[in-house]
């Protein structure tokens, strides 16, 4: 994963999260966790993951999804899956 590839993935994932939860993109950073976004719970997390997979054309391994601690982990996985 290159720095540029990660930056592209970060922009895309942050935009998806912001759109999904109707929050400003500026409210989403690498350090953002579930408790930081209103309405982000276990149920909406599943919907978000499906939205990310659909919009980026990727599929996550279930074991990796449960290991995400914050948005940064999700971005890293998206960058890997997209080959960026």
């Amino acid at each position: 994963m290159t720095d540029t590839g990660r930056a592209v993935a970060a922009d895309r994932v942050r935009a998806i999260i912001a759109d999904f939860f109707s929050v400003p993109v500026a409210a989403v950073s690498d350090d953002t966790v579930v408790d930081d976004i209103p309405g982000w719970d276990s149920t909406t997390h599943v919907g978000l993951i499906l939205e990310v997979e659909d919009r980026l054309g990727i599929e996550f391994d279930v074991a990796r999804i449960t290991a995400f601690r914050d948005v940064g982990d999700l971005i890293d996985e998206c960058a890997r899956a997209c080959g960026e």
Side-chain angles (χ1 to χ4, degrees):
M1 166 177 32
T2 66
D3 289 342
T4 302
R6 190 190 188 284
V8 169
D11 288 345
R12 294 174 73 189
V13 170
R14 287 184 186 122
I16 293 167
I17 293 169
D19 184 51
F20 190 84
F21 290 106
S22 299
V23 298
V25 173
V28 184
S29 72
D30 278 15
D31 299 324
T32 300
V33 295
V34 172
D35 293 336
D36 295 335
I37 304 288
W40 193 343
D41 58 25
S42 59
T43 303
T44 57
H45 184 75
V46 173
L48 173 63
I49 294 299
L50 293 172
E51 183 73 9
V52 169
E53 287 179 329
D54 184 56
R55 288 181 52 181
L56 297 182
I58 59 176
E59 189 171 320
F60 295 116
D61 179 276
V62 174
R64 301 211 46 134
I65 293 170
T66 60
F68 297 157
R69 295 171 309 222
D70 55 27
V71 170
D73 288 345
L74 175 58
I75 291 168
D76 289 342
E77 189 60 27
C78 287
R80 274 191 286 281
C82 291
E84 297 178 350

